[in-house]
Coordinates of all heavy atoms in Angstrom, one line a residue:
M1 N 32.6 35.6 -50.4 CA 31.7 34.9 -49.6 C 32.4 34.1 -48.5 O 32.0 34.3 -47.3 CB 30.9 33.9 -50.5 CG 29.8 33.1 -49.7 SD 28.6 32.3 -50.7 CE 29.5 31.2 -51.7
L2 N 33.4 33.3 -48.8 CA 34.1 32.6 -47.7 C 35.4 33.3 -47.4 O 36.4 32.6 -47.1 CB 34.4 31.1 -48.2 CG 33.1 30.3 -48.2 CD1 33.4 28.9 -48.8 CD2 32.5 30.1 -46.9
R3 N 35.4 34.6 -47.5 CA 36.7 35.3 -47.3 C 37.2 35.1 -45.9 O 38.4 35.0 -45.7 CB 36.4 36.8 -47.6 CG 37.6 37.6 -47.9 CD 37.2 39.0 -48.4 NE 36.1 39.5 -47.6 CZ 35.3 40.4 -48.0 NH1 35.4 40.9 -49.2 NH2 34.3 40.9 -47.3
N4 N 36.3 35.1 -44.9 CA 36.7 35.0 -43.6 C 36.3 33.6 -43.0 O 35.8 33.5 -41.9 CB 36.2 36.1 -42.7 CG 36.8 37.4 -43.0 OD1 38.0 37.4 -43.5 ND2 36.1 38.5 -42.8
G5 N 36.4 32.6 -43.8 CA 36.0 31.2 -43.6 C 35.5 30.9 -42.2 O 34.3 31.0 -41.9
L6 N 36.3 30.5 -41.3 CA 35.9 30.0 -40.0 C 36.5 30.9 -38.9 O 37.7 30.9 -38.6 CB 36.5 28.6 -39.8 CG 35.7 27.6 -38.9 CD1 34.3 27.5 -39.3 CD2 36.4 26.3 -38.9
E7 N 35.6 31.7 -38.3 CA 36.0 32.6 -37.3 C 35.8 31.9 -35.9 O 35.0 30.9 -35.8 CB 35.2 33.9 -37.4 CG 35.6 34.6 -38.7 CD 34.8 35.9 -38.8 OE1 34.2 36.4 -37.8 OE2 34.9 36.5 -39.9
P8 N 36.4 32.4 -34.8 CA 36.2 31.8 -33.5 C 34.8 31.7 -33.1 O 34.4 30.6 -32.4 CB 37.0 32.8 -32.6 CG 38.0 33.4 -33.5 CD 37.3 33.5 -34.8
W9 N 33.9 32.6 -33.4 CA 32.5 32.4 -32.9 C 31.8 31.3 -33.7 O 30.9 30.7 -33.1 CB 31.8 33.8 -33.0 CG 31.6 34.3 -34.3 CD1 32.4 35.1 -35.0 CD2 30.4 34.1 -35.2 NE1 31.9 35.4 -36.3 CE2 30.7 34.8 -36.4 CE3 29.3 33.5 -35.0 CZ2 29.8 34.8 -37.4 CZ3 28.3 33.5 -36.1 CH2 28.6 34.2 -37.2
H10 N 32.3 31.0 -34.9 CA 31.7 29.8 -35.6 C 32.0 28.6 -34.8 O 31.1 27.7 -34.7 CB 32.3 29.7 -37.0 CG 31.8 30.8 -37.9 ND1 32.7 31.5 -38.7 CD2 30.6 31.2 -38.3 CE1 32.1 32.3 -39.4 NE2 30.8 32.2 -39.2
L11 N 33.2 28.4 -34.4 CA 33.6 27.2 -33.6 C 32.9 27.2 -32.3 O 32.5 26.0 -31.8 CB 35.1 27.3 -33.3 CG 36.0 27.2 -34.6 CD1 37.5 27.4 -34.2 CD2 35.8 25.9 -35.3
L12 N 32.6 28.3 -31.7 CA 31.8 28.3 -30.4 C 30.4 27.8 -30.6 O 29.9 27.0 -29.9 CB 31.8 29.7 -29.8 CG 31.1 29.9 -28.5 CD1 31.8 29.1 -27.4 CD2 31.0 31.4 -28.1
I13 N 29.8 28.2 -31.7 CA 28.4 27.8 -32.1 C 28.4 26.3 -32.3 O 27.5 25.6 -31.9 CB 27.9 28.6 -33.2 CG1 27.6 30.0 -32.8 CG2 26.6 28.0 -33.8 CD1 27.2 31.0 -33.9
V14 N 29.4 25.8 -33.1 CA 29.5 24.4 -33.4 C 29.7 23.6 -32.1 O 29.0 22.5 -31.9 CB 30.6 24.1 -34.4 CG1 30.9 22.6 -34.5 CG2 30.3 24.6 -35.7
A15 N 30.5 24.0 -31.2 CA 30.7 23.4 -29.9 C 29.4 23.3 -29.1 O 29.1 22.3 -28.5 CB 31.8 24.0 -29.1
I16 N 28.7 24.4 -29.0 CA 27.4 24.5 -28.3 C 26.4 23.5 -28.9 O 25.7 22.7 -28.2 CB 26.9 25.9 -28.2 CG1 27.8 26.7 -27.4 CG2 25.4 25.9 -27.7 CD1 27.4 28.2 -27.4
V17 N 26.3 23.4 -30.2 CA 25.4 22.5 -30.9 C 25.7 21.1 -30.6 O 24.9 20.2 -30.3 CB 25.3 22.8 -32.4 CG1 24.6 21.7 -33.1 CG2 24.7 24.2 -32.7
V18 N 27.0 20.7 -30.6 CA 27.5 19.4 -30.4 C 27.1 19.0 -28.9 O 26.6 17.9 -28.7 CB 29.0 19.2 -30.6 CG1 29.5 17.9 -30.0 CG2 29.3 19.3 -32.1
I19 N 27.4 19.9 -28.0 CA 27.0 19.6 -26.6 C 25.5 19.4 -26.4 O 25.1 18.5 -25.7 CB 27.6 20.7 -25.7 CG1 29.1 20.6 -25.6 CG2 27.0 20.6 -24.2 CD1 29.8 21.8 -24.9
V20 N 24.7 20.2 -27.0 CA 23.3 20.1 -26.9 C 22.8 18.8 -27.5 O 21.9 18.1 -27.0 CB 22.6 21.3 -27.5 CG1 21.1 21.1 -27.7 CG2 22.8 22.6 -26.7
L21 N 23.3 18.5 -28.7 CA 22.9 17.3 -29.4 C 23.3 16.0 -28.7 O 22.5 15.1 -28.5 CB 23.4 17.2 -30.8 CG 22.7 18.2 -31.8 CD1 23.4 18.1 -33.2 CD2 21.3 17.9 -32.0
F22 N 24.5 15.9 -28.3 CA 25.0 14.6 -27.7 C 25.0 14.6 -26.2 O 25.1 13.5 -25.6 CB 26.4 14.4 -28.2 CG 26.5 14.1 -29.7 CD1 27.0 15.1 -30.5 CD2 26.0 13.0 -30.2 CE1 27.1 14.9 -31.9 CE2 26.1 12.7 -31.6 CZ 26.6 13.7 -32.4
G23 N 24.9 15.7 -25.6 CA 24.9 15.7 -24.1 C 26.3 15.6 -23.6 O 27.2 15.1 -24.2
S24 N 26.5 16.2 -22.4 CA 27.8 16.2 -21.8 C 28.2 14.8 -21.3 O 29.4 14.6 -21.0 CB 27.8 17.2 -20.6 OG 26.9 16.9 -19.6
K25 N 27.3 13.9 -21.1 CA 27.7 12.6 -20.6 C 28.3 11.7 -21.7 O 29.2 10.9 -21.4 CB 26.5 11.9 -20.0 CG 26.0 12.5 -18.7 CD 24.9 11.7 -18.1 CE 24.4 12.4 -16.8 NZ 23.3 11.7 -16.2
K26 N 27.9 11.9 -22.9 CA 28.4 11.0 -24.0 C 29.7 11.5 -24.6 O 30.4 10.8 -25.3 CB 27.3 10.9 -25.1 CG 26.2 10.0 -24.7 CD 25.3 9.7 -25.8 CE 24.1 8.8 -25.5 NZ 23.2 8.6 -26.6
L27 N 29.9 12.8 -24.4 CA 31.1 13.4 -25.1 C 32.4 12.8 -24.7 O 33.3 12.5 -25.5 CB 31.1 14.9 -24.9 CG 30.1 15.7 -25.7 CD1 30.2 17.2 -25.4 CD2 30.3 15.4 -27.2
P28 N 32.7 12.5 -23.4 CA 34.0 11.9 -23.0 C 34.1 10.5 -23.6 O 35.2 10.1 -24.1 CB 34.0 11.8 -21.5 CG 33.0 12.9 -21.1 CD 32.0 12.9 -22.2
D29 N 33.0 9.7 -23.6 CA 33.1 8.4 -24.2 C 33.3 8.4 -25.8 O 34.1 7.7 -26.3 CB 31.8 7.6 -24.0 CG 31.6 7.3 -22.5 OD1 32.6 7.2 -21.8 OD2 30.5 7.1 -22.1
T30 N 32.7 9.4 -26.4 CA 32.8 9.6 -27.8 C 34.3 10.0 -28.2 O 34.9 9.5 -29.1 CB 31.8 10.6 -28.3 OG1 30.5 10.2 -28.0 CG2 31.9 10.7 -29.8
A31 N 34.8 10.9 -27.4 CA 36.2 11.4 -27.6 C 37.2 10.2 -27.4 O 38.2 10.1 -28.1 CB 36.5 12.5 -26.7
R32 N 37.0 9.4 -26.3 CA 37.8 8.3 -26.1 C 37.8 7.3 -27.2 O 38.8 6.8 -27.7 CB 37.4 7.6 -24.8 CG 38.4 6.7 -24.2 CD 38.0 6.1 -22.8 NE 37.7 7.2 -21.9 CZ 36.6 7.5 -21.3 NH1 35.5 6.8 -21.6 NH2 36.5 8.5 -20.4
A33 N 36.6 7.0 -27.7 CA 36.4 6.0 -28.8 C 37.1 6.6 -30.1 O 37.7 5.8 -30.8 CB 35.0 5.7 -29.1
L34 N 36.9 7.9 -30.3 CA 37.6 8.5 -31.5 C 39.1 8.4 -31.4 O 39.8 8.1 -32.4 CB 37.1 9.9 -31.6 CG 37.7 10.7 -32.8 CD1 37.2 10.1 -34.1 CD2 37.2 12.1 -32.8
G35 N 39.6 8.7 -30.2 CA 41.1 8.6 -30.0 C 41.6 7.2 -30.2 O 42.6 7.0 -30.8
K36 N 40.9 6.2 -29.7 CA 41.3 4.8 -29.9 C 41.2 4.4 -31.4 O 42.2 3.8 -31.9 CB 40.3 3.9 -29.1 CG 40.7 2.5 -29.1 CD 39.8 1.7 -28.2 CE 40.2 0.2 -28.2 NZ 39.3 -0.6 -27.3
S37 N 40.2 4.9 -32.1 CA 40.1 4.6 -33.5 C 41.3 5.2 -34.3 O 41.8 4.6 -35.2 CB 38.8 5.1 -34.1 OG 37.7 4.4 -33.4
M38 N 41.6 6.4 -33.9 CA 42.7 7.1 -34.6 C 44.1 6.4 -34.3 O 44.9 6.3 -35.2 CB 42.8 8.6 -34.1 CG 41.7 9.4 -34.6 SD 41.5 9.5 -36.4 CE 42.9 10.4 -36.8
R39 N 44.3 5.9 -33.1 CA 45.5 5.1 -32.8 C 45.6 3.9 -33.6 O 46.6 3.5 -34.2 CB 45.6 4.8 -31.3 CG 46.1 6.0 -30.5 CD 46.4 5.6 -29.1 NE 45.3 5.0 -28.4 CZ 44.4 5.7 -27.7 NH1 44.4 7.0 -27.6 NH2 43.4 5.0 -27.0
I40 N 44.4 3.2 -33.7 CA 44.4 1.9 -34.5 C 44.7 2.2 -36.0 O 45.5 1.5 -36.6 CB 43.0 1.2 -34.3 CG1 42.9 0.7 -32.9 CG2 42.9 0.1 -35.3 CD1 41.5 0.2 -32.6
L41 N 44.0 3.2 -36.5 CA 44.2 3.6 -37.9 C 45.7 4.0 -38.2 O 46.3 3.5 -39.2 CB 43.3 4.8 -38.3 CG 43.4 5.3 -39.7 CD1 43.0 4.2 -40.7 CD2 42.7 6.6 -39.9
K42 N 46.3 4.7 -37.3 CA 47.7 5.1 -37.4 C 48.6 3.9 -37.4 O 49.5 3.8 -38.2 CB 48.1 6.1 -36.3 CG 49.4 6.7 -36.4 CD 49.7 7.7 -35.4 CE 51.1 8.3 -35.4 NZ 51.3 9.2 -34.3
S43 N 48.4 3.0 -36.5 CA 49.3 1.8 -36.4 C 49.1 0.9 -37.6 O 50.1 0.3 -38.1 CB 49.0 1.0 -35.1 OG 47.7 0.5 -35.1
E44 N 47.9 0.8 -38.1 CA 47.6 -0.1 -39.3 C 48.3 0.6 -40.5 O 48.9 -0.1 -41.4 CB 46.1 -0.3 -39.5 CG 45.5 -1.2 -38.5 CD 46.0 -2.6 -38.5 OE1 46.4 -3.1 -39.6 OE2 46.2 -3.2 -37.4
A45 N 48.2 1.9 -40.6 CA 48.8 2.6 -41.8 C 50.3 2.4 -41.7 O 51.0 2.2 -42.8 CB 48.4 4.0 -41.8
K46 N 50.9 2.5 -40.5 CA 52.3 2.3 -40.4 C 52.8 0.9 -40.8 O 53.8 0.7 -41.4 CB 52.8 2.7 -39.0 CG 54.3 2.6 -38.8 CD 54.7 3.0 -37.4 CE 56.2 2.9 -37.3 NZ 56.7 2.8 -36.0
A47 N 52.0 -0.1 -40.3 CA 52.3 -1.5 -40.6 C 52.2 -1.7 -42.1 O 53.1 -2.4 -42.7 CB 51.3 -2.4 -39.9
M48 N 51.2 -1.2 -42.8 CA 51.1 -1.3 -44.2 C 52.3 -0.7 -44.9 O 52.8 -1.2 -45.9 CB 49.8 -0.8 -44.7 CG 48.6 -1.6 -44.4 SD 47.0 -0.9 -44.9 CE 47.3 -0.8 -46.7
K49 N 52.7 0.5 -44.5 CA 53.8 1.2 -45.1 C 55.1 0.4 -44.9 O 55.9 0.3 -45.8 CB 54.0 2.6 -44.4 CG 55.0 3.4 -45.1 CD 55.0 4.8 -44.4 CE 56.0 5.7 -45.1 NZ 56.0 7.0 -44.4
D50 N 55.3 -0.2 -43.7 CA 56.5 -1.0 -43.4 C 56.5 -2.2 -44.3 O 57.5 -2.7 -44.8 CB 56.6 -1.3 -42.0 CG 56.9 -0.1 -41.1 OD1 57.3 0.9 -41.6 OD2 56.7 -0.2 -39.9
E51 N 55.3 -2.8 -44.4 CA 55.2 -4.1 -45.2 C 55.5 -3.8 -46.7 O 56.2 -4.6 -47.3 CB 53.8 -4.6 -45.1 CG 53.5 -5.9 -45.8 CD 52.1 -6.4 -45.6 OE1 51.7 -6.6 -44.4 OE2 51.4 -6.6 -46.6
N52 N 55.0 -2.7 -47.2 CA 55.2 -2.4 -48.6 C 56.7 -2.0 -48.9 O 57.2 -2.2 -49.9 CB 54.3 -1.2 -49.1 CG 52.9 -1.7 -49.2 OD1 52.6 -2.8 -49.4 ND2 52.0 -0.7 -49.2
A53 N 57.3 -1.4 -47.9 CA 58.7 -1.1 -48.0 C 59.6 -2.3 -48.1 O 60.6 -2.3 -48.8 CB 59.2 -0.1 -46.9
S54 N 59.3 -3.3 -47.4 CA 60.1 -4.5 -47.3 C 59.7 -5.5 -48.4 O 60.5 -6.4 -48.7 CB 60.1 -5.2 -46.0 OG 58.8 -5.6 -45.7
A55 N 58.6 -5.5 -49.0 CA 58.1 -6.5 -49.9 C 58.9 -6.5 -51.2 O 59.2 -7.5 -51.7 CB 56.6 -6.2 -50.2
P56 N 59.2 -5.3 -51.9 CA 59.9 -5.4 -53.2 C 61.3 -6.1 -53.0 O 61.7 -6.8 -53.9 CB 60.0 -4.0 -53.6 CG 58.9 -3.2 -52.9 CD 58.8 -4.0 -51.6
A57 N 62.0 -5.9 -51.9 CA 63.3 -6.4 -51.8 C 63.2 -8.0 -51.6 O 64.1 -8.7 -52.0 CB 64.0 -5.8 -50.5
A58 N 62.1 -8.4 -50.9 CA 62.0 -9.9 -50.7 C 61.6 -10.7 -51.9 O 62.1 -11.7 -52.1 CB 61.0 -10.1 -49.5
S59 N 60.7 -10.1 -52.7 CA 60.2 -10.9 -53.8 C 60.1 -10.0 -55.1 O 59.1 -9.4 -55.4 CB 58.8 -11.4 -53.5 OG 57.9 -10.4 -53.3
A60 N 61.2 -10.0 -55.7 CA 61.3 -9.2 -57.0 C 60.7 -10.0 -58.1 O 60.9 -11.2 -58.2 CB 62.8 -8.9 -57.3
P61 N 59.9 -9.4 -58.9 CA 59.2 -10.2 -60.0 C 60.2 -10.6 -61.0 O 61.2 -9.9 -61.3 CB 58.2 -9.2 -60.6 CG 58.7 -7.8 -60.2 CD 59.5 -8.0 -58.9
T62 N 60.1 -11.8 -61.6 CA 61.0 -12.3 -62.6 C 60.5 -11.7 -64.0 O 59.3 -11.6 -64.3 CB 60.9 -13.8 -62.7 OG1 59.6 -14.2 -62.9 CG2 61.4 -14.4 -61.4
P63 N 61.5 -11.3 -64.8 CA 61.1 -10.7 -66.1 C 60.6 -11.8 -67.0 O 60.9 -12.9 -67.0 CB 62.4 -10.2 -66.6 CG 63.5 -10.9 -65.9 CD 62.9 -11.3 -64.6
V64 N 59.7 -11.4 -67.9 CA 59.0 -12.3 -68.8 C 59.8 -12.1 -70.2 O 60.0 -11.0 -70.7 CB 57.6 -12.0 -69.0 CG1 56.9 -12.8 -70.0 CG2 56.8 -12.1 -67.7
E65 N 60.2 -13.3 -70.8 CA 60.8 -13.2 -72.1 C 59.8 -13.0 -73.2 O 58.8 -13.7 -73.2 CB 61.6 -14.6 -72.3 CG 62.7 -14.8 -71.3 CD 63.9 -13.8 -71.6 OE1 64.1 -13.5 -72.7 OE2 64.5 -13.4 -70.6
P66 N 60.1 -12.1 -74.1 CA 59.1 -11.9 -75.2 C 59.2 -13.1 -76.2 O 60.2 -13.8 -76.3 CB 59.6 -10.7 -75.9 CG 61.1 -10.6 -75.5 CD 61.2 -11.2 -74.2
T67 N 58.0 -13.4 -76.7 CA 58.0 -14.5 -77.7 C 57.6 -13.9 -79.1 O 57.0 -12.9 -79.1 CB 56.9 -15.6 -77.3 OG1 55.7 -14.9 -77.1 CG2 57.3 -16.2 -75.9
A68 N 57.8 -14.7 -80.1 CA 57.5 -14.3 -81.4 C 56.0 -14.5 -81.7 O 55.4 -15.4 -81.2 CB 58.2 -15.1 -82.5
V69 N 55.4 -13.5 -82.3 CA 54.0 -13.5 -82.6 C 53.8 -13.8 -84.1 O 54.4 -13.1 -85.0 CB 53.3 -12.2 -82.3 CG1 51.8 -12.2 -82.6 CG2 53.5 -11.9 -80.8
R70 N 53.0 -14.8 -84.5 CA 52.8 -15.2 -85.9 C 51.4 -14.8 -86.3 O 50.5 -14.9 -85.5 CB 53.0 -16.7 -86.1 CG 54.3 -17.2 -85.9 CD 54.5 -18.5 -86.5 NE 55.0 -19.5 -85.5 CZ 55.0 -20.8 -85.6 NH1 54.5 -21.3 -86.7 NH2 55.6 -21.5 -84.8
T71 N 51.3 -14.3 -87.5 CA 50.0 -13.9 -88.0 C 49.4 -15.2 -88.6 O 50.0 -16.2 -88.8 CB 50.2 -12.9 -89.2 OG1 50.9 -13.4 -90.2 CG2 50.8 -11.6 -88.6
A72 N 48.1 -15.1 -88.9 CA 47.4 -16.2 -89.5 C 48.0 -16.6 -90.9 O 48.0 -17.8 -91.2 CB 45.9 -15.8 -89.6
A73 N 48.4 -15.6 -91.6 CA 49.0 -15.9 -93.0 C 50.3 -16.7 -92.8 O 50.6 -17.7 -93.6 CB 49.3 -14.6 -93.7
E74 N 51.1 -16.4 -91.8 CA 52.4 -17.1 -91.6 C 52.1 -18.5 -91.1 O 52.8 -19.5 -91.5 CB 53.2 -16.4 -90.5 CG 53.8 -15.1 -91.0 CD 54.5 -14.3 -89.9 OE1 54.2 -14.6 -88.7 OE2 55.3 -13.5 -90.2
T75 N 51.1 -18.7 -90.3 CA 50.7 -20.0 -89.8 C 50.2 -20.9 -90.9 O 50.5 -22.1 -91.0 CB 49.7 -19.9 -88.7 OG1 50.2 -19.1 -87.7 CG2 49.4 -21.3 -88.0
A76 N 49.4 -20.3 -91.9 CA 48.8 -21.1 -93.0 C 49.9 -21.5 -94.0 O 49.7 -22.6 -94.6 CB 47.7 -20.2 -93.7
T77 N 50.9 -20.8 -94.2 CA 51.9 -21.1 -95.2 C 53.0 -22.1 -94.6 O 53.8 -22.6 -95.4 CB 52.6 -19.9 -95.7 OG1 53.2 -19.2 -94.7 CG2 51.6 -19.0 -96.5
E78 N 52.9 -22.3 -93.4 CA 53.9 -23.2 -92.7 C 53.6 -24.6 -93.1 O 52.5 -25.0 -93.1 CB 53.9 -23.0 -91.2 CG 55.0 -23.7 -90.5 CD 54.9 -23.4 -89.0 OE1 55.1 -22.3 -88.6 OE2 54.5 -24.4 -88.2
R79 N 54.6 -25.4 -93.4 CA 54.5 -26.8 -93.8 C 54.5 -27.6 -92.6 O 55.3 -27.4 -91.7 CB 55.6 -27.2 -94.8 CG 55.5 -26.5 -96.1 CD 56.6 -27.0 -97.0 NE 56.6 -26.3 -98.2 CZ 57.5 -26.2 -99.1 NH1 58.7 -26.9 -98.8 NH2 57.4 -25.6 -100.2
P80 N 53.7 -28.7 -92.6 CA 53.7 -29.6 -91.5 C 55.0 -30.4 -91.5 O 55.6 -30.6 -92.6 CB 52.4 -30.5 -91.7 CG 52.1 -30.3 -93.1 CD 52.6 -29.0 -93.5
P81 N 55.4 -30.9 -90.3 CA 56.7 -31.7 -90.3 C 56.5 -33.0 -91.1 O 55.4 -33.6 -91.2 CB 56.9 -32.0 -88.8 CG 55.6 -31.6 -88.1 CD 54.9 -30.7 -89.0
A82 N 57.6 -33.4 -91.8 CA 57.5 -34.6 -92.6 C 57.4 -35.9 -91.7 O 58.0 -35.9 -90.6 CB 58.8 -34.7 -93.5
A83 N 56.6 -36.8 -92.1 CA 56.4 -38.0 -91.4 C 57.6 -38.9 -91.5 O 58.2 -39.1 -92.6 CB 55.2 -38.8 -91.8
A84 N 58.1 -39.5 -90.4 CA 59.2 -40.4 -90.4 C 58.8 -41.7 -91.0 O 57.8 -42.3 -90.5 CB 59.8 -40.5 -89.0
G85 N 59.5 -42.2 -91.9 CA 59.0 -43.5 -92.5 C 59.9 -44.5 -92.7 O 60.4 -45.4 -92.6

């Protein structure tokens, strides 16, 4: 069914439909806005990538020391500290 997916005449039909729907006056503005949006997206993605690359070196997490876990039975059999008298 999609053996010959997108042939050149498909692209021609899509281009004609876009021109008819949006008109030739709006297409340059739309293309300019799309290009500007793509540049902004690219610069933001690069900034996030650079930020993530430098973040682990700057603030390494401190390891957490494990603590002993007591069961209820161990807590119940524990004697209270003797009162100083």
